[in-house]
Every structure is written in C-alpha cells, then in structure tokens.
Amino acid sequence: MVKLSKRLLTIANIVPEGARLADIGSDHALLPTYLVQQGRVPFAVAGEVNKGPKEAAERQVRDAGLTGRIEVRLGNGLAVLQPGEIDAVSIAGMGGALIASILDAGQEKLQSVQTLILQPNVGEDLVRRWLRQHGWHLAAETILEEDGKIYEVLTAVRMEAEHRSDVPLYAERTVEETTLRLTEETLLRMGPYLIREPKDAWFRKWEYELDKLDMIRKQLERSTSESADDKRAELEVEKNRIREVLTCLRKDRP
C-alpha cells in the first residue's frame, strides 16, 4: 500500500469518491495509486511531460498491480486526455503561472471535468484569477505545513446556477470589530477562505513573504535608478498592506 506525504494526502482526501481522476505531473503516480488502492476512484490517468518520470510512474503502477486501472501517459499538460473521459483533475507541485497555463491550453479537455484540485507552490493568486475568469467557482482552500514548507490547496468546481458569479466571494469587506478593509486584490492574493479563518501556517506564510520582500528591498537599495526607487515604493506599499492584515487578524483571533 502506497503511503503519501501530508501534502498529497490532503489532496487525496479532496478527490470526489468515484471520480475518474487525471493527475497532471504525477510524481511516480503516487496519488493515483493510493486512490485506486483505497477504492476511492475506479480509474486514473497519470500525466507526465518527460520520459524519465513517465517510466518511474509506470513502474509504480506495475508494481502495485494496477495496470489497466491507471494509465500513465506522456504529454504536455491536459494534452494527455481524451475529451469526456475524466471527472476530476489534480495538478500539484508547480508554480501558479504554469498551472494556469496548463488549464488555459487544455480548456477543451475540461468539458466533462467537475472538480479541479490545484496546489501551486507559488503564485496562488494567478490560479485564483484564472478560475474566476474561466467559469470555475473557488469552493474551498486548505493550507498546511510539511517539512518546513507551506502549501495551499485550492478546490474549484464548475460555476453552477447558484454560483453565477464569484463577485460575493471577493467582495470588498471590513473584518468584524476591526477597521481592516479587505479589498478584492487582497482577497485574491491572500485567499478569501484562508483569510476568513486564518491558521498558524497562514500567518507564517505571510511572515516569510515579508522577509522576502525585505530582501528584495535591500537589493534595490544598491541601485540609484529611478525605476529602483519606484520599485522600492511599491514594495513598501505591499509590505504595509500585508502587515496591516496580519496585525488586525491576530487581534481578531480568539
């Protein structure tokens, strides 16, 4: 029986029971193998863009005795799929820009898909923006920490009648009992669900982000160009926005 990391197990628990899953960039087909072994999904496709990872995934599937129930395919993103054969897609461990580009390039392969489970390593806001612009409702967000790294898992479903628009999800609002005004941009960047009930891992993520912005600012201080001055000013605005959110939400915690 395959054992999953905390990150992959979090994703596995989100996959709808009985779904036909495509796991893009499958990392030894660990997630599909686990889900089929558990009886959670009847069939899965493991997609890999390079020959070496594809062969490793094939060995995993063969050793687990799941040939025929998991198909390992070589191809770029959703190009490995046939229209109509999959209900759910998972894409994990890539940058948000790459995930968005994979989804964008493979839109015709998503016609039968009802659930997207996406775990960007960076650029989560780019994924949220793509979902919002292409008729997908952000249904849930999860944040977790494992081996010193923090991951966000975004779950999206097709925009049905009750979700004609994600406008309410990203509507500007004031946090109760504070003066903090959450803008649409802040919600897209920091997560509309995560910001509603922030966990310790979420606070740590944004403290790390502040540290990164400080490092960039110090590098920019070595330059005297006008563009560097503009960039430093932008960084200060961003840092102040993040600090304000963290400070107010810490006060708001029970």
Side-chain angles (χ1 to χ4, degrees):
M1 184 69 71
V2 166
K3 291 186 178 180
L4 298 184
S5 65
K6 182 179 178 181
R7 176 180 67 94
L8 287 180
L9 187 59
T10 298
I11 295 169
N13 289 335
I14 297 170
V15 175
E17 191 165 355
R20 298 166 297 166
L21 174 73
D23 186 39
I24 305 302
S26 198
D27 186 21
H28 292 73
L30 292 174
L31 179 65
T33 299
Y34 174 86
L35 288 166
V36 173
Q37 286 179 332
Q38 292 290 320
R40 191 175 180 94
V41 304
F43 170 76
V45 172
E48 290 292 357
V49 72
N50 294 313
K51 186 177 179 181
K54 175 181 181 285
E55 291 173 347
E58 287 173 332
R59 285 194 298 272
Q60 174 68 67
V61 172
R62 186 169 57 249
D63 292 347
L66 296 175
T67 302
R69 297 188 66 190
I70 299 174
E71 293 188 9
V72 181
R73 301 176 186 173
L74 185 66
N76 191 9
L78 300 177
V80 300
L81 302 179
Q82 297 298 318
E85 69 174 336
I86 292 299
D87 308 310
V89 170
S90 58
I91 309 177
M94 306 178 194
L98 179 55
I99 290 176
S101 70
I102 288 172
L103 294 171
D104 208 49
Q107 288 187 65
E108 74 281 0
K109 303 297 181 66
L110 295 175
Q111 297 303 312
S112 63
V113 174
Q114 298 301 311
T115 306
L116 298 174
I117 304 161
L118 311 170
Q119 183 268 297
N121 287 341
V122 294
E124 295 88 353
D125 61 312
L126 300 177
V127 177
R128 292 186 187 100
R129 292 176 199 278
W130 189 93
L131 294 171
R132 191 177 186 196
Q133 292 165 3
H134 293 86
W136 290 86
H137 172 65
L138 182 64
E141 298 175 314
T142 301
I143 192 165
L144 66 138
E145 188 167 6
E146 182 177 33
D147 298 333
K149 295 182 180 179
I150 296 174
Y151 305 100
E152 292 182 18
V153 182
L154 313 181
T155 305
V157 297
R158 282 209 168 274
M159 198 89 76
E160 302 297 346
E162 65 271 27
H163 300 130
R164 288 295 182 191
S165 169
D166 259 2
V167 169
L169 184 61
Y170 296 104
E172 189 170 310
R173 62 180 185 266
T174 301
V175 176
E176 291 183 10
E177 299 182 5
T178 76
T179 59
L180 176 63
R181 191 73 177 165
L182 297 175
T183 65
E184 175 185 348
E185 187 63 30
T186 298
L187 293 167
L188 281 163
R189 179 92 190 277
M190 304 181 84
Y193 295 104
L194 298 176
I195 212 168
R196 189 178 297 166
E197 296 183 8
K199 298 182 182 298
D200 290 342
W202 183 86
F203 283 103
R204 282 193 290 274
K205 171 191 169 72
W206 289 102
E207 291 289 356
Y208 295 153
E209 185 64 22
L210 285 173
D211 290 341
K212 284 192 248 179
L213 293 175
D214 272 333
M215 290 177 61
I216 296 171
R217 180 182 56 78
K218 288 175 183 177
Q219 291 170 352
L220 288 171
E221 285 175 351
R222 300 171 189 165
S223 173
T224 57
S225 70
E226 186 175 336
S227 62
D229 289 341
D230 292 341
K231 185 62 178 176
R232 282 197 297 270
E234 291 174 10
L235 287 176
E236 285 304 315
V237 170
E238 178 65 9
K239 285 166 54 183
N240 289 338
R241 182 184 300 120
I242 293 171
R243 285 198 190 99
E244 180 187 19
V245 173
L246 297 185
T247 300
C248 286
L249 291 183
R250 282 197 177 101
K251 290 179 181 176
D252 193 49
R253 297 183 90 189

